Short mmCIF file of all heavy atoms in Angstrom, two decimals:
data_model
loop_
_atom_site.label_atom_id
_atom_site.label_comp_id
_atom_site.label_asym_id
_atom_site.label_seq_id
_atom_site.Cartn_x
_atom_site.Cartn_y
_atom_site.Cartn_z
N ASN A 1 12.54 -62.81 -34.50
CA ASN A 1 13.28 -62.00 -35.47
C ASN A 1 12.37 -61.40 -36.53
O ASN A 1 12.83 -60.99 -37.60
CB ASN A 1 14.36 -62.86 -36.14
CG ASN A 1 15.54 -63.11 -35.23
OD1 ASN A 1 16.41 -62.25 -35.06
ND2 ASN A 1 15.57 -64.28 -34.63
N SER A 2 11.07 -61.34 -36.25
CA SER A 2 10.12 -60.83 -37.23
C SER A 2 10.24 -59.32 -37.42
O SER A 2 9.96 -58.80 -38.49
CB SER A 2 8.70 -61.21 -36.85
OG SER A 2 8.37 -60.64 -35.59
N ARG A 3 10.66 -58.62 -36.37
CA ARG A 3 10.91 -57.17 -36.50
C ARG A 3 12.36 -56.85 -36.24
O ARG A 3 12.93 -55.96 -36.85
CB ARG A 3 10.02 -56.40 -35.52
CG ARG A 3 8.54 -56.44 -35.87
CD ARG A 3 7.72 -55.59 -34.93
NE ARG A 3 7.94 -55.97 -33.52
CZ ARG A 3 8.60 -55.20 -32.65
NH1 ARG A 3 9.12 -54.06 -33.03
NH2 ARG A 3 8.73 -55.60 -31.40
N ASN A 4 12.95 -57.56 -35.31
CA ASN A 4 14.37 -57.35 -35.03
C ASN A 4 15.21 -58.05 -36.10
O ASN A 4 14.73 -58.96 -36.77
CB ASN A 4 14.72 -57.92 -33.64
CG ASN A 4 13.94 -57.22 -32.55
OD1 ASN A 4 13.90 -55.99 -32.51
ND2 ASN A 4 13.31 -57.99 -31.67
N THR A 5 16.43 -57.67 -36.22
CA THR A 5 17.30 -58.28 -37.23
C THR A 5 18.57 -58.82 -36.59
O THR A 5 19.65 -58.77 -37.18
CB THR A 5 17.66 -57.25 -38.32
OG1 THR A 5 18.27 -56.11 -37.69
CG2 THR A 5 16.44 -56.82 -39.09
N LYS A 6 18.45 -59.36 -35.38
CA LYS A 6 19.64 -59.89 -34.72
C LYS A 6 20.19 -61.08 -35.48
O LYS A 6 21.39 -61.27 -35.59
CB LYS A 6 19.30 -60.29 -33.28
CG LYS A 6 20.53 -60.77 -32.49
CD LYS A 6 20.23 -60.93 -31.01
CE LYS A 6 21.51 -61.28 -30.26
NZ LYS A 6 21.28 -61.39 -28.80
N TYR A 7 19.27 -61.94 -36.00
CA TYR A 7 19.69 -63.11 -36.75
C TYR A 7 18.86 -63.21 -38.03
O TYR A 7 17.74 -62.72 -38.10
CB TYR A 7 19.47 -64.39 -35.93
CG TYR A 7 20.21 -64.43 -34.62
CD1 TYR A 7 19.53 -64.42 -33.41
CD2 TYR A 7 21.60 -64.49 -34.60
CE1 TYR A 7 20.22 -64.45 -32.20
CE2 TYR A 7 22.30 -64.52 -33.39
CZ TYR A 7 21.59 -64.50 -32.20
OH TYR A 7 22.28 -64.53 -31.02
N HIS A 8 19.41 -63.88 -39.04
CA HIS A 8 18.65 -64.17 -40.23
C HIS A 8 17.56 -65.19 -39.89
O HIS A 8 17.79 -66.12 -39.12
CB HIS A 8 19.55 -64.76 -41.32
CG HIS A 8 20.52 -63.78 -41.89
ND1 HIS A 8 20.11 -62.68 -42.61
CD2 HIS A 8 21.87 -63.73 -41.86
CE1 HIS A 8 21.17 -61.99 -42.98
NE2 HIS A 8 22.25 -62.60 -42.54
N ARG A 9 16.39 -65.01 -40.48
CA ARG A 9 15.30 -65.95 -40.24
C ARG A 9 15.51 -67.21 -41.08
O ARG A 9 16.10 -67.18 -42.15
CB ARG A 9 13.98 -65.29 -40.59
CG ARG A 9 13.71 -64.03 -39.77
CD ARG A 9 12.48 -63.32 -40.25
NE ARG A 9 11.28 -64.01 -39.80
CZ ARG A 9 10.08 -63.74 -40.26
NH1 ARG A 9 9.91 -62.83 -41.20
NH2 ARG A 9 9.03 -64.39 -39.81
N PHE A 10 15.01 -68.31 -40.59
CA PHE A 10 15.18 -69.58 -41.28
C PHE A 10 14.20 -69.74 -42.45
O PHE A 10 14.49 -70.43 -43.41
CB PHE A 10 14.99 -70.75 -40.30
CG PHE A 10 16.13 -70.89 -39.33
CD1 PHE A 10 16.02 -70.40 -38.04
CD2 PHE A 10 17.32 -71.51 -39.71
CE1 PHE A 10 17.07 -70.53 -37.14
CE2 PHE A 10 18.36 -71.63 -38.83
CZ PHE A 10 18.25 -71.15 -37.55
N THR A 11 13.05 -69.12 -42.33
CA THR A 11 12.05 -69.24 -43.39
C THR A 11 12.13 -68.05 -44.33
O THR A 11 12.89 -67.11 -44.12
CB THR A 11 10.63 -69.34 -42.79
OG1 THR A 11 10.43 -68.19 -41.94
CG2 THR A 11 10.48 -70.60 -41.98
N SER A 12 11.32 -68.08 -45.37
CA SER A 12 11.38 -67.05 -46.40
C SER A 12 10.35 -65.95 -46.22
O SER A 12 10.04 -65.23 -47.16
CB SER A 12 11.19 -67.71 -47.78
OG SER A 12 9.95 -68.38 -47.83
N ILE A 13 9.77 -65.83 -45.03
CA ILE A 13 8.81 -64.74 -44.79
C ILE A 13 9.62 -63.48 -44.50
O ILE A 13 9.90 -63.17 -43.35
CB ILE A 13 7.88 -65.05 -43.61
CG1 ILE A 13 7.23 -66.40 -43.78
CG2 ILE A 13 6.81 -63.98 -43.48
CD1 ILE A 13 6.33 -66.78 -42.65
N LEU A 14 10.02 -62.80 -45.53
CA LEU A 14 10.82 -61.59 -45.39
C LEU A 14 10.14 -60.44 -46.11
O LEU A 14 9.15 -60.62 -46.82
CB LEU A 14 12.22 -61.82 -45.97
CG LEU A 14 13.02 -62.97 -45.34
CD1 LEU A 14 14.28 -63.23 -46.15
CD2 LEU A 14 13.36 -62.65 -43.91
N GLY A 15 10.65 -59.25 -45.95
CA GLY A 15 10.09 -58.10 -46.66
C GLY A 15 9.50 -57.09 -45.70
O GLY A 15 9.96 -56.93 -44.57
N SER A 16 8.45 -56.42 -46.12
CA SER A 16 7.87 -55.33 -45.34
C SER A 16 7.08 -55.87 -44.15
O SER A 16 6.72 -57.04 -44.10
CB SER A 16 6.94 -54.49 -46.21
OG SER A 16 5.83 -55.27 -46.60
N PHE A 17 6.78 -54.97 -43.22
CA PHE A 17 6.03 -55.37 -42.03
C PHE A 17 4.64 -55.87 -42.37
O PHE A 17 4.00 -56.55 -41.59
CB PHE A 17 5.91 -54.19 -41.07
CG PHE A 17 7.16 -53.89 -40.31
CD1 PHE A 17 7.43 -52.62 -39.85
CD2 PHE A 17 8.09 -54.89 -40.06
CE1 PHE A 17 8.58 -52.33 -39.15
CE2 PHE A 17 9.25 -54.61 -39.36
CZ PHE A 17 9.50 -53.33 -38.90
N SER A 18 4.11 -55.51 -43.54
CA SER A 18 2.74 -55.88 -43.88
C SER A 18 2.60 -57.31 -44.36
O SER A 18 1.50 -57.80 -44.52
CB SER A 18 2.21 -54.94 -44.96
OG SER A 18 2.99 -55.05 -46.13
N GLU A 19 3.73 -57.99 -44.63
CA GLU A 19 3.67 -59.35 -45.13
C GLU A 19 3.31 -60.32 -44.01
O GLU A 19 3.52 -60.03 -42.83
CB GLU A 19 5.00 -59.74 -45.76
CG GLU A 19 5.26 -59.00 -47.06
CD GLU A 19 6.47 -59.52 -47.78
OE1 GLU A 19 7.13 -60.43 -47.24
OE2 GLU A 19 6.76 -59.04 -48.89
N PRO A 20 2.76 -61.48 -44.36
CA PRO A 20 2.38 -62.47 -43.33
C PRO A 20 3.55 -62.79 -42.41
O PRO A 20 4.67 -62.99 -42.85
CB PRO A 20 1.99 -63.70 -44.16
CG PRO A 20 1.56 -63.13 -45.47
CD PRO A 20 2.46 -61.96 -45.70
N GLY A 21 3.24 -62.84 -41.11
CA GLY A 21 4.27 -63.19 -40.15
C GLY A 21 5.06 -62.01 -39.63
O GLY A 21 5.94 -62.17 -38.80
N ARG A 22 4.75 -60.80 -40.11
CA ARG A 22 5.47 -59.63 -39.63
C ARG A 22 4.46 -58.64 -39.08
O ARG A 22 3.39 -58.41 -39.65
CB ARG A 22 6.29 -59.00 -40.76
CG ARG A 22 7.30 -59.96 -41.36
CD ARG A 22 8.17 -59.29 -42.39
NE ARG A 22 9.08 -58.33 -41.78
CZ ARG A 22 10.27 -58.65 -41.31
NH1 ARG A 22 10.70 -59.88 -41.35
NH2 ARG A 22 11.05 -57.74 -40.76
N LEU A 23 4.81 -58.01 -37.97
CA LEU A 23 3.90 -57.06 -37.33
C LEU A 23 4.05 -55.69 -37.97
O LEU A 23 5.16 -55.19 -38.13
CB LEU A 23 4.21 -56.97 -35.84
CG LEU A 23 4.00 -58.26 -35.04
CD1 LEU A 23 4.42 -58.06 -33.60
CD2 LEU A 23 2.55 -58.69 -35.11
N SER A 24 2.92 -55.06 -38.32
CA SER A 24 2.95 -53.72 -38.90
C SER A 24 2.96 -52.67 -37.80
O SER A 24 2.65 -52.95 -36.64
CB SER A 24 1.73 -53.52 -39.80
OG SER A 24 0.55 -53.52 -39.02
N GLU A 25 3.28 -51.45 -38.16
CA GLU A 25 3.28 -50.38 -37.18
C GLU A 25 1.87 -50.14 -36.64
O GLU A 25 1.69 -49.85 -35.47
CB GLU A 25 3.83 -49.10 -37.81
CG GLU A 25 5.31 -49.22 -38.23
CD GLU A 25 6.21 -49.56 -37.06
OE1 GLU A 25 5.91 -49.15 -35.91
OE2 GLU A 25 7.21 -50.25 -37.30
N SER A 26 0.85 -50.29 -37.50
CA SER A 26 -0.52 -50.11 -37.03
C SER A 26 -0.93 -51.18 -36.04
O SER A 26 -1.72 -50.95 -35.12
CB SER A 26 -1.50 -50.11 -38.22
OG SER A 26 -1.44 -51.35 -38.90
N ASP A 27 -0.38 -52.39 -36.21
CA ASP A 27 -0.66 -53.47 -35.25
C ASP A 27 -0.19 -53.09 -33.86
O ASP A 27 -0.74 -53.52 -32.86
CB ASP A 27 0.06 -54.75 -35.67
CG ASP A 27 -0.51 -55.34 -36.95
OD1 ASP A 27 -1.69 -55.11 -37.23
OD2 ASP A 27 0.25 -56.04 -37.65
N LEU A 28 0.87 -52.28 -33.80
CA LEU A 28 1.52 -52.00 -32.54
C LEU A 28 1.20 -50.62 -31.98
O LEU A 28 1.76 -50.22 -30.97
CB LEU A 28 3.05 -52.12 -32.71
CG LEU A 28 3.55 -53.50 -33.18
CD1 LEU A 28 5.04 -53.42 -33.52
CD2 LEU A 28 3.32 -54.53 -32.10
N GLU A 29 0.29 -49.90 -32.61
CA GLU A 29 0.10 -48.51 -32.25
C GLU A 29 -0.44 -48.33 -30.83
O GLU A 29 -0.20 -47.31 -30.18
CB GLU A 29 -0.84 -47.83 -33.24
CG GLU A 29 -2.22 -48.44 -33.32
CD GLU A 29 -3.08 -47.78 -34.38
OE1 GLU A 29 -2.57 -46.92 -35.12
OE2 GLU A 29 -4.28 -48.11 -34.45
N ASN A 30 -1.14 -49.35 -30.32
CA ASN A 30 -1.69 -49.25 -28.97
C ASN A 30 -0.85 -49.98 -27.93
O ASN A 30 -1.26 -50.13 -26.79
CB ASN A 30 -3.11 -49.82 -28.94
CG ASN A 30 -4.07 -49.02 -29.80
OD1 ASN A 30 -4.01 -47.79 -29.82
ND2 ASN A 30 -4.94 -49.72 -30.52
N VAL A 31 0.33 -50.40 -28.35
CA VAL A 31 1.21 -51.12 -27.45
C VAL A 31 2.30 -50.19 -26.94
O VAL A 31 2.89 -49.46 -27.72
CB VAL A 31 1.87 -52.32 -28.18
CG1 VAL A 31 2.79 -53.07 -27.24
CG2 VAL A 31 0.79 -53.24 -28.71
N PRO A 32 2.57 -50.16 -25.62
CA PRO A 32 3.63 -49.31 -25.09
C PRO A 32 4.94 -49.58 -25.81
O PRO A 32 5.23 -50.69 -26.20
CB PRO A 32 3.70 -49.73 -23.61
CG PRO A 32 2.35 -50.27 -23.32
CD PRO A 32 1.88 -50.93 -24.57
N GLU A 33 5.74 -48.53 -25.97
CA GLU A 33 6.96 -48.63 -26.78
C GLU A 33 7.91 -49.72 -26.30
O GLU A 33 8.39 -50.54 -27.08
CB GLU A 33 7.69 -47.28 -26.79
CG GLU A 33 8.95 -47.28 -27.64
CD GLU A 33 9.61 -45.93 -27.67
OE1 GLU A 33 9.04 -44.97 -27.13
OE2 GLU A 33 10.72 -45.84 -28.23
N LYS A 34 8.20 -49.77 -25.00
CA LYS A 34 9.13 -50.77 -24.49
C LYS A 34 8.57 -52.17 -24.68
O LYS A 34 9.30 -53.10 -25.03
CB LYS A 34 9.43 -50.51 -23.02
CG LYS A 34 10.27 -49.26 -22.77
CD LYS A 34 10.59 -49.11 -21.30
CE LYS A 34 11.45 -47.88 -21.06
NZ LYS A 34 11.78 -47.71 -19.61
N ALA A 35 7.29 -52.31 -24.43
CA ALA A 35 6.68 -53.63 -24.59
C ALA A 35 6.72 -54.08 -26.04
O ALA A 35 6.88 -55.26 -26.33
CB ALA A 35 5.25 -53.60 -24.08
N ALA A 36 6.55 -53.13 -26.96
CA ALA A 36 6.55 -53.48 -28.38
C ALA A 36 7.87 -54.08 -28.80
O ALA A 36 7.92 -54.88 -29.73
CB ALA A 36 6.26 -52.23 -29.21
N GLU A 37 8.94 -53.73 -28.14
CA GLU A 37 10.27 -54.25 -28.47
C GLU A 37 10.54 -55.61 -27.84
O GLU A 37 11.46 -56.30 -28.24
CB GLU A 37 11.35 -53.26 -28.00
CG GLU A 37 11.41 -52.00 -28.82
CD GLU A 37 11.81 -52.28 -30.26
OE1 GLU A 37 12.71 -53.12 -30.48
OE2 GLU A 37 11.18 -51.71 -31.15
N ASN A 38 9.75 -56.00 -26.86
CA ASN A 38 10.07 -57.22 -26.12
C ASN A 38 8.88 -58.15 -25.97
O ASN A 38 8.83 -59.21 -26.59
CB ASN A 38 10.63 -56.84 -24.75
CG ASN A 38 11.15 -58.04 -23.98
OD1 ASN A 38 11.11 -59.16 -24.46
ND2 ASN A 38 11.62 -57.82 -22.78
N GLN A 39 7.88 -57.73 -25.20
CA GLN A 39 6.82 -58.66 -24.84
C GLN A 39 5.90 -59.00 -26.01
O GLN A 39 5.35 -60.10 -26.06
CB GLN A 39 6.02 -58.11 -23.66
CG GLN A 39 6.84 -58.09 -22.38
CD GLN A 39 5.98 -58.02 -21.13
OE1 GLN A 39 4.79 -58.28 -21.18
NE2 GLN A 39 6.58 -57.66 -20.02
N THR A 40 5.73 -58.08 -26.96
CA THR A 40 4.91 -58.41 -28.12
C THR A 40 5.60 -59.48 -28.95
O THR A 40 4.96 -60.40 -29.46
CB THR A 40 4.63 -57.16 -28.96
OG1 THR A 40 3.95 -56.21 -28.15
CG2 THR A 40 3.78 -57.50 -30.17
N ASP A 41 6.90 -59.37 -29.10
CA ASP A 41 7.67 -60.40 -29.80
C ASP A 41 7.56 -61.73 -29.06
O ASP A 41 7.48 -62.79 -29.68
CB ASP A 41 9.14 -60.00 -29.92
CG ASP A 41 9.32 -58.82 -30.87
OD1 ASP A 41 8.42 -58.57 -31.68
OD2 ASP A 41 10.36 -58.15 -30.79
N THR A 42 7.58 -61.67 -27.73
CA THR A 42 7.45 -62.88 -26.93
C THR A 42 6.09 -63.54 -27.18
O THR A 42 6.00 -64.77 -27.35
CB THR A 42 7.61 -62.56 -25.43
OG1 THR A 42 8.91 -62.00 -25.21
CG2 THR A 42 7.46 -63.82 -24.59
N ALA A 43 5.03 -62.73 -27.20
CA ALA A 43 3.69 -63.28 -27.47
C ALA A 43 3.65 -63.93 -28.85
O ALA A 43 3.05 -64.99 -29.04
CB ALA A 43 2.66 -62.16 -27.37
N LEU A 44 4.29 -63.29 -29.82
CA LEU A 44 4.33 -63.84 -31.17
C LEU A 44 5.04 -65.20 -31.18
O LEU A 44 4.58 -66.14 -31.83
CB LEU A 44 5.07 -62.86 -32.09
CG LEU A 44 5.11 -63.17 -33.59
CD1 LEU A 44 3.71 -63.22 -34.16
CD2 LEU A 44 5.94 -62.11 -34.30
N ALA A 45 6.13 -65.30 -30.44
CA ALA A 45 6.88 -66.56 -30.36
C ALA A 45 6.06 -67.65 -29.69
O ALA A 45 6.10 -68.82 -30.09
CB ALA A 45 8.19 -66.34 -29.62
#
C-alpha cells in the first residue's frame, strides 16, 4: 500500500512519494508501466 491506497497503512510512513518507504516517480522511470503497478510493489513487499 506504499503507492496504492486500497487500504490504510498500519504504520505512520505517510505523505509524499519521496518519504522513506515510498517509491518516487524517478525510482520507477525505467520500470514498465504495468510492472510498476504490480511487480515492483511485490518486490517491495
Side-chain angles (χ1 to χ4, degrees):
N1 284 282
S2 61
R3 291 184 305 109
N4 299 311
T5 56
K6 184 170 185 177
Y7 301 114
H8 290 295
R9 301 173 76 192
F10 289 100
T11 55
S12 58
I13 308 178
L14 302 171
S16 66
F17 285 153
S18 61
E19 291 188 357
R22 301 184 70 87
L23 297 177
S24 67
E25 296 301 328
S26 61
D27 292 333
L28 300 171
E29 61 183 5
N30 296 319
V31 180
E33 182 178 354
K34 290 183 179 180
E37 288 296 318
N38 187 1
Q39 292 200 17
T40 300
D41 291 341
T42 300
L44 186 60

